[in-house]
Each structure stands twice: as C-alpha cells, then as structure tokens.
Amino acid sequence: MFITITLSCSEKELGNEAILNCKSVPCTYELRWIAVKLVDQSENPVALDRMKVTRVADGKDLTKTYHSDEWNTFTRLGSYPVTGDNDHGDIPKFKHTKLRFQGYIGNREVVKGDYVVTFDCCHIALVSGERELVVSR
C-alpha cells in the first residue's frame, strides 16, 4: 500500500514576505507604459503644448522631461505617457496609487484624467482610468 501526500502552500500560508520581496519572481525585460490617447470631437489626435502628471496623495510632480523627437511623436499621435515601469521609485508595489494627468494648450488646461495604478513585482498595471479622452477646445 502506498500513501501519497501532496503539500501545497498558499500565499496566506507562506505569508506575504515571499511575494513582497519579489526575489523568486521571474520578470520579463520588456518596459511597460500606461498612456492616454487624446482626440478631439472628430477623433483627430490632439497636440498638447505640455502635460503634467501628479501623484494625488501628496501632490508630487511626476512629470518627465522628454526629448523633442519623443514629444513630436506624442503630439503627432495624440498619445501621452502617464506612467511606466521606470516610475517604480515613485509608485509603491502592491498598493493602488492615484495619478492625475493634465494636458495644456497654451496656458489653458484642456484635459484632465485620473488614473489608479499599481506595481506587481515586475510591471506597472492600470487599475482604473480612461485610456482615451476627448478634448473639447
């Protein structure tokens, strides 16, 4: 007679320490971004003069500086980065963080969107927020 015993551990049994330190989690080398596409009422891409990204909880400005080639691509496509894997120092792992995206033409704010994001051990993920916003001029 043979007896087989199968043992398994759930995250609850192991405690969160194994997951939270992320030492045993394999990650891919891709860089992920969360972007917002801005269109006008005719669905044409909207070119902003500038944008701002703020962490809502404390008002910290997370806006990045982009080279002119990058900015020209954003304005041509109407697609602007809100956050990405490179922001891991400003967005805590395993917690929901609210970010605010604001877009400006001249000195006038023409669009605003709120996003809730989180990091797992490897990548940023969108929890809530619209990926496309209509800009009324």
Side-chain angles (χ1 to χ4, degrees):
M1 173 177 211
F2 291 99
I3 298 175
T4 304
I5 299 174
T6 304
L7 297 174
S8 68
C9 296
S10 68
E11 182 179 324
K12 190 174 189 178
E13 291 166 342
L14 286 173
N16 289 333
E17 186 178 331
I19 299 300
L20 291 178
N21 68 25
C22 297
K23 288 180 182 173
S24 63
V25 177
C27 293
T28 62
Y29 288 106
E30 66 187 301
L31 273 177
R32 294 187 187 172
W33 290 93
I34 296 169
V36 59
K37 182 172 174 80
L38 304 180
V39 296
D40 62 18
Q41 283 121 351
S42 301
E43 306 236 351
N44 298 311
V46 172
L48 297 176
D49 292 329
R50 68 182 176 92
M51 59 177 248
K52 182 177 182 180
V53 177
T54 308
R55 188 171 56 204
V56 173
D58 61 0
K60 182 175 181 184
D61 188 345
L62 301 180
T63 309
K64 304 286 183 263
T65 302
Y66 297 99
H67 297 292
S68 61
D69 291 348
E70 292 171 307
W71 187 255
N72 290 337
T73 301
F74 300 156
T75 60
R76 184 173 43 81
L77 298 175
S79 183
Y80 300 87
V82 176
T83 188
D85 285 347
N86 288 338
D87 293 327
H88 59 85
D90 293 311
I91 299 170
K93 290 184 188 283
F94 306 108
K95 294 187 179 182
H96 289 182
T97 301
K98 187 174 183 180
L99 303 177
R100 179 161 293 141
F101 174 90
Q102 295 166 274
Y104 298 87
I105 297 177
N107 288 326
R108 190 169 71 94
E109 180 184 283
V110 295
V111 67
K112 177 168 47 178
D114 287 343
Y115 297 86
V116 177
V117 299
T118 188
F119 261 97
D120 60 16
C121 287
C122 305
H123 298 291
I124 191 82
L126 179 64
V127 175
S128 67
E130 297 296 322
R131 289 193 181 259
E132 183 172 299
L133 297 174
V134 177
V135 177
S136 50
R137 294 183 193 202

